[in-house]
Amino acid sequence: MSPTAPTPRTAAVTRTTAETDITVRLDLDSTVYDAPHSGHGFFDHMLDALARHGRLGLNVAAKGDLHIEPHHLIEDTGITLGQALSQALGDRRGIERYGSAFVPMDETLAHAVIDLSGRAHLAFEPETLDVWGDAGGMTHYHLREFLRGFCNHGGVTLHVRVLAGREAHHVIEAVVKALARALRDAVAVTSAQMPSTKGSL
């Protein structure tokens, strides 16, 4: 008999600060998602890619102080998404836990490896490379802060490498799509066991 996901693996988290107001709704066992609304076109495009390639039921409604720059909006959305993921996973029993994906985009090749270990760690190689430009004001440094917030609040270990590529738009998009595909595999329910010799995550 095939393992079945506990029901429901869902979460709804709202984070409100003086800088941002963000609500994330997540369903790990649905592929139905809504177009994100953050006020930042390229960031919305990345959230859409995360939902589409991760096959996640994801809804993001976010507002932030974009008149300053997109840093707060992007970072706080990562934090809120991490909180939602952790809640939706529950005790993490039965999940595959690990995922890995390579994604090419024209001249760029990105690799993401994820462990839903309950321990937060981000190894982000693009900041050591000569990535140039931005995508609608979003740079690979904003992506780093998004992923840092996601890892820290989701209990996620994530390693990101860029094997080829220098242009920010392609680097950011390939990384997000690689993350999505790795996450899709990691959250899959594949047994009834806790995926740790410790007996808990």
Side-chain angles (χ1 to χ4, degrees), residues 64-124:
D65 50 2
L66 289 173
H67 62 286
I68 297 175
E69 67 132 341
H71 179 109
H72 297 143
L73 175 75
I74 293 170
E75 178 184 22
D76 286 8
T77 301
I79 290 170
T80 312
L81 178 60
Q83 292 171 335
L85 175 66
S86 187
Q87 287 187 26
L89 286 171
D91 68 1
R92 310 189 185 209
R93 179 177 299 276
I95 62 169
E96 184 64 19
R97 177 176 166 178
Y98 298 101
S100 175
F102 289 90
V103 167
M105 186 171 185
D106 298 342
E107 83 292 344
T108 297
L109 177 61
H111 185 208
V113 183
I114 194 168
D115 176 11
L116 301 179
S117 61
R119 300 184 302 275
H121 181 78
L122 174 64
F124 186 74

Side-chain angles (χ1 to χ4, degrees), residues 10-143:
T10 62
V13 178
T14 296
R15 174 184 169 86
T16 302
T17 72
E19 299 167 339
T20 61
D21 185 5
I22 298 162
T23 297
V24 172
R25 292 181 174 86
L26 179 63
D27 186 338
L28 296 178
D29 301 305
S30 172
T31 58
V32 178
Y33 62 92
D34 296 328
H37 300 284
S38 73
H40 190 286
F42 183 75
F43 187 46
D44 282 347
H45 181 46
M46 293 302 92
L47 294 171
D48 182 86
L50 184 64
R52 186 183 303 268
H53 292 276
R55 297 178 188 168
L56 300 169
L58 178 64
N59 175 268
V60 178
K63 294 184 291 185
D65 50 2
L66 289 173
H67 62 286
I68 297 175
E69 67 132 341
H71 179 109
H72 297 143
L73 175 75
I74 293 170
E75 178 184 22
D76 286 8
T77 301
I79 290 170
T80 312
L81 178 60
Q83 292 171 335
L85 175 66
S86 187
Q87 287 187 26
L89 286 171
D91 68 1
R92 310 189 185 209
R93 179 177 299 276
I95 62 169
E96 184 64 19
R97 177 176 166 178
Y98 298 101
S100 175
F102 289 90
V103 167
M105 186 171 185
D106 298 342
E107 83 292 344
T108 297
L109 177 61
H111 185 208
V113 183
I114 194 168
D115 176 11
L116 301 179
S117 61
R119 300 184 302 275
H121 181 78
L122 174 64
F124 186 74
E125 187 206 49
E127 65 186 345
T128 69
L129 303 175
D130 184 25
V131 179
W132 57 270
D134 65 85
M138 182 176 177
T139 70
H140 64 294
Y141 293 109
H142 295 117
L143 175 63

Side-chain angles (χ1 to χ4, degrees), residues 135-180:
M138 182 176 177
T139 70
H140 64 294
Y141 293 109
H142 295 117
L143 175 63
R144 178 195 61 195
E145 294 309 301
F146 172 79
L147 296 177
R148 193 195 309 275
F150 173 70
C151 290
N152 285 346
H153 292 266
V156 173
T157 292
L158 176 64
H159 287 251
V160 174
R161 296 187 300 156
V162 175
L163 287 78
R166 289 293 181 269
E167 196 274 321
H169 183 134
H170 292 169
V171 168
I172 295 167
E173 187 160 348
V175 167
V176 169
K177 289 177 177 177
L179 168 63

